[in-house]
Amino acid sequence: MNRLFRFFLASVFFLGACSGSSTPEKSSSRPEAGNLRVGLVFDVGGLGDRSFNDSAYHGLELAKEKHGISFIHSEPSGEGADREAALRQMAADPDVDLVIGVGLLFSDDITAIARDFPDKKFVCIDYIPKKGTPLPENLSGVVFEEKRGSFLAGAVAGLVTKTNTVGFIGGMESGIIRKFETGFTEGVKYVNPEATVIPAYIGMTGSAFANPAKGKELALGQYARGADIIYEAAGASGMGVIEAARTAKKLVICTDRDQEPDAPGFVLTSMVKTIDRAVLKCVEDVLAGTFRGGAVRVFGIGDRYTDYVYNDRNSALFGAGVHDRVEDIRRKILSGVIAVEEQAPTE
């Protein structure tokens, strides 16, 4: 009888110890969806830019709708000089589990803050790594294949242009925006060696992404010089380029999101970086316990995280055979027949 009682007590103790050890391990690696809180800090231009920032915000809306997460957001003022303070405030919030910085300008600040808060997870969109400086294990850099996507946009422009002159307008002159210009120019020349590309940049600081008046001025100048298509990679400043296209009754190629609704009939296509899908994927990785830090993650043209828009709203602007030709180019890039190398941008 005594032996049976001792065996019963030992069994209860063993089962209790097992059940107690499994719960904290699960909660630390895979937070429940309803308990996950995300902090998002916008790039210059803020919410309502109809481009880069809005796409990131939409990604969190998707995560909330699909998984029940909650989120908060913050907008840097002016040229974004207070972005470091906004990131640090998010990281210091005990209720925030994941902090996302939207834009290349966050790269240095978010790297330093991730080291200061090793128990938090961080994501930086369009992250620019510093040579020889490893990423913290709790930081995931997200990049897209801007050069390849812009090459496809350039192929569209080179095939559609009637004047053999097209334009490019970038926001802040920087390594990542130069990738847009280089890819676009190479794509235009690949299909139309006789075409001319006119390049221009709005400025040298972050405020260049929030100056639609300057974007419109530059675009009207390029249209006046004979460009019938302009590719803009300028954040909120791109709205000025779109307005110029409407005014001049010419075509524009937009970036980051499909901006056809902003100027129906004048948006030839958009080179989209599906930031919303990438943000959703990062959130889902945290929920699944598969978040990967310490590295830069590429969302490219292979699975159409980087892509161009072709649908029933813009197909008539393409003309016969253009979409098929561009899709063939896309396959050749993926197979290596056409070499479009994605090099890490420099600051």
Side-chain angles (χ1 to χ4, degrees):
M1 180 73 175
N2 287 338
R3 279 185 297 176
L4 278 173
F5 183 71
R6 285 196 298 271
F7 176 77
F8 172 76
L9 286 177
S11 299
V12 169
F13 177 79
F14 176 76
L15 290 172
C18 288
S19 62
S21 65
S22 63
T23 301
E25 182 181 357
K26 181 178 180 181
S27 63
S28 63
S29 60
R30 295 181 61 183
E32 293 183 10
N35 295 330
L36 182 67
R37 189 167 178 81
V38 182
L40 179 73
V41 183
F42 289 117
D43 199 357
V44 174
L47 186 62
D49 68 349
R50 302 187 187 181
S51 184
F52 196 83
N53 291 306
D54 283 3
S55 185
Y57 186 82
H58 184 239
L60 290 184
E61 288 183 316
L62 292 174
K64 180 178 181 180
E65 179 182 345
K66 188 174 181 181
H67 301 291
I69 66 111
S70 62
F71 64 89
I72 56 176
H73 59 84
S74 175
E75 299 188 38
S77 60
E79 295 188 15
D82 56 349
R83 71 173 54 83
E84 192 272 346
L87 282 171
R88 192 167 291 278
Q89 184 177 1
M90 289 287 188
D93 188 332
D95 295 326
V96 171
D97 307 288
L98 171 65
V99 179
I100 301 175
V102 186
L104 61 95
L105 297 174
F106 285 90
S107 300
D108 289 345
D109 290 334
I110 204 168
T111 301
I113 292 171
R115 292 195 179 99
D116 293 341
F117 293 87
D119 295 332
K120 294 288 176 79
K121 293 179 173 63
F122 295 83
V123 169
C124 183
I125 307 296
D126 279 355
Y127 183 79
I128 300 180
K130 278 196 171 178
K131 190 174 182 180
T133 303
L135 273 72
E137 290 299 317
N138 58 332
L139 169 62
S140 178
V142 169
V143 299
F144 297 83
E145 291 183 332
E146 293 94 354
K147 187 173 180 182
R148 289 180 169 185
S150 296
F151 189 100
L152 297 177
V156 174
L159 292 168
V160 173
T161 180
K162 293 180 172 58
T163 64
N164 263 8
T165 301
V166 298
F168 171 83
I169 295 177
M172 174 184 170
E173 189 168 357
S174 58
I176 198 165
I177 302 301
R178 283 193 292 271
K179 284 175 64 180
F180 285 83
E181 180 194 348
T182 302
F184 178 70
T185 301
E186 290 179 3
V188 170
K189 296 290 188 179
Y190 181 81
V191 299
N192 189 347
E194 304 304 316
T196 297
V197 180
I198 308 171
Y201 286 85
I202 292 171
M204 301 294 293
T205 66
S207 62
F209 293 114
N211 191 344
K214 184 66 173 179
K216 182 177 181 179
E217 175 190 335
L218 290 174
L220 288 174
Q222 291 188 354
Y223 287 134
R225 292 171 60 187
D228 58 349
I229 302 168
I230 294 176
Y231 179 40
E232 61 88 1
S237 299
M239 293 305 298
V241 182
I242 295 171
E243 177 59 31
R246 279 196 299 255
T247 300
K249 299 192 180 335
K250 304 291 185 181
L251 295 175
V252 61
I253 297 176
C254 302
T255 52
D256 296 334
R257 299 186 78 184
D258 180 6
Q259 293 187 268
E260 186 275 340
D262 294 319
F266 299 104
V267 177
L268 175 58
T269 186
S270 296
M271 196 288 284
V272 291
K273 294 160 52 175
T274 55
I275 296 165
D276 51 357
R277 287 177 58 204
V279 166
L280 175 62
K281 177 61 176 168
C282 291
V283 170
E284 289 178 336
D285 286 346
V286 173
L287 292 173
T290 57
F291 177 84
R292 292 181 288 172
V296 175
R297 189 173 183 181
V298 180
F299 290 84
I301 66 171
D303 46 15
R304 296 190 184 270
Y305 276 96
T306 307
D307 205 0
Y308 67 98
V309 173
Y310 178 80
N311 53 37
D312 58 358
R313 296 193 302 275
N314 70 341
S315 59
L317 297 175
F318 270 52
V322 171
H323 178 244
D324 290 342
R325 176 79 188 279
V326 177
E327 280 299 287
D328 181 60
I329 291 170
R330 179 179 172 276
R331 287 188 290 269
K332 287 178 178 176
I333 293 173
L334 290 171
S335 68
V337 173
I338 298 175
V340 183
E341 297 301 324
E342 287 286 341
Q343 297 179 341
T346 56
E347 293 181 274

